[in-house]
Amino acid sequence: MELQQAVEFLQVQGTSFAINLVAAIAIFVIGRWVAKLLHRLVTKAMKRAKTDPLIVTFAGNIFYVLLMFAVVLAAIGQLGIQTTSLIAVLGAAGLAIGLALQGSLANFAAGVMVVLFRPYRVGDYIEGGGVSGTVEEVQIFTTELSTPDNRKIIVPNGQMLSDAITNYSAHATRRVDLVVGVGYDDDIDTVRRVLEGVVADDARVLADPAPNIRIGSLGDSSVNWIVRPWVKAADYWDVYWEMTEEIKRRFDREGINIPFPQRDVHVYHHGENKNGTDVIG
């Protein structure tokens, strides 16, 4: 009789548990789909509102994590587990996990700092954390960079903020710094005229601030000129490379020399040896 009651109890409870398990799985699957859908809708809404892409990515990821946390709690509650007690247990466990994962929490806090103070934005070319590249995305814990040779670098946010950050895209304009060496025999006025002509003929060079063309130093083998025009940040590298090439072309046409390092060697004769040949010292 007792065995029969036990079997009947298991049949009833087993059927109920199976129904609850299927319902919990359905809640998780549907909830995950809804969370992704809401994540996409919120992201699109922020983009339509022309929100900073940095905030769009970071806030969107946090929103999705919170939705999935709510979905998991709902699925667990369907199984008959008391979510209030579970949250308390998770809170205690979270404290222990937080102490063990201090680095991850520091990266999360650094990500929040990046969003609040914006030392860099999506699309900026930066140098920081020992790497350099264009900011592609700021995640909850990491910043993703793309290098000029199309490599992807993932840097912890804490590492980015623990070092000096150089943002090459922060300002609309940049100064191109060129150093050009010419021979000591070349005429100063001719060199100045050629360099000023190269700068003036480039439409990308800005009139304000005015370009600076001067003799920077007198080197061991050359007179070193500095050529410093201002350009838009987006034109920096094109101007740098193309202006260097154009200077070389015009120097060749004008007969201006770009010297290479030279060293004078003096040979002294001290006399003759026993065979009558010179001894060189």
Side-chain angles (χ1 to χ4, degrees):
M1 186 66 179
E2 293 180 357
L3 178 61
Q4 183 178 358
Q5 290 178 347
V7 171
E8 290 177 354
F9 177 80
L10 290 175
Q11 287 177 344
V12 174
Q13 294 299 322
T15 302
S16 177
F17 178 77
I19 293 174
N20 289 334
L21 179 61
V22 171
I25 293 174
I27 290 174
F28 179 79
V29 173
I30 296 174
R32 186 166 178 265
W33 178 81
V34 172
K36 289 184 177 180
L37 177 62
L38 291 177
H39 174 254
R40 286 196 297 269
L41 291 175
V42 170
T43 301
K44 289 181 179 179
M46 286 191 291
K47 289 181 178 179
R48 283 198 298 269
K50 296 182 179 180
T51 306
D52 191 318
L54 192 79
I55 299 178
V56 171
T57 303
F58 191 83
N61 289 333
I62 293 179
F63 179 69
Y64 179 73
V65 170
L66 292 177
L67 287 177
M68 286 303 302
F69 182 73
V71 169
V72 171
L73 287 181
I76 292 175
Q78 182 62 37
L79 294 175
I81 300 175
Q82 293 295 326
T83 56
T84 305
S85 302
L86 180 62
I87 291 175
V89 173
L90 290 177
L95 178 60
I97 294 173
L99 294 175
L101 300 177
Q102 293 183 24
S104 296
L105 294 178
N107 289 329
F108 174 77
V112 175
M113 297 291 286
V114 169
V115 172
L116 290 178
F117 297 102
R118 302 184 191 179
Y120 51 83
R121 302 169 183 265
V122 173
D124 287 352
Y125 187 87
I126 66 171
E127 182 178 320
V131 298
S132 59
T134 302
V135 179
E136 295 291 337
E137 195 172 9
V138 177
Q139 299 284 353
I140 296 177
F141 300 109
T142 61
T143 294
E144 296 183 2
L145 304 178
S146 178
T147 63
D149 58 349
N150 206 28
R151 289 180 294 122
K152 183 178 182 179
I153 302 178
I154 301 176
V155 188
N157 290 329
Q159 180 178 333
M160 291 296 297
L161 290 187
S162 65
D163 195 5
I165 298 175
T166 302
N167 190 334
Y168 294 97
S169 306
H171 301 296
T173 60
R174 285 186 64 187
R175 190 184 70 188
V176 179
D177 290 354
L178 296 176
V179 178
V180 182
V182 301
Y184 274 92
D185 295 333
D186 292 308
D187 182 66
I188 291 178
D189 294 332
T190 302
V191 175
R192 186 186 300 276
R193 174 178 56 80
V194 172
L195 293 176
E196 288 178 348
V198 172
V199 172
D201 291 344
D202 196 321
R204 295 165 296 187
V205 174
L206 303 177
D208 186 24
N212 187 17
I213 302 174
R214 297 177 182 273
I215 294 178
S217 64
L218 302 176
D220 294 336
S221 305
S222 63
V223 178
N224 298 318
W225 289 74
I226 57 171
V227 182
R228 295 177 177 175
W230 287 82
V231 299
K232 293 181 180 178
D235 295 332
Y236 178 86
W237 284 112
D238 288 338
V239 172
Y240 184 95
W241 291 320
E242 293 173 15
M243 187 169 289
T244 300
E245 180 178 339
E246 183 61 21
I247 289 174
K248 177 63 170 65
R249 292 180 185 276
R250 297 206 187 184
F251 276 9
D252 290 344
R253 289 201 298 265
E254 296 286 342
I256 300 173
N257 298 312
I258 299 179
F260 49 86
Q262 302 179 37
R263 184 181 299 274
D264 292 334
V265 178
H266 301 275
V267 180
Y268 298 94
H269 298 271
H270 294 293
E272 298 181 352
N273 60 15
K274 295 180 180 180
N275 296 327
T277 57
D278 290 337
V279 177
I280 301 175

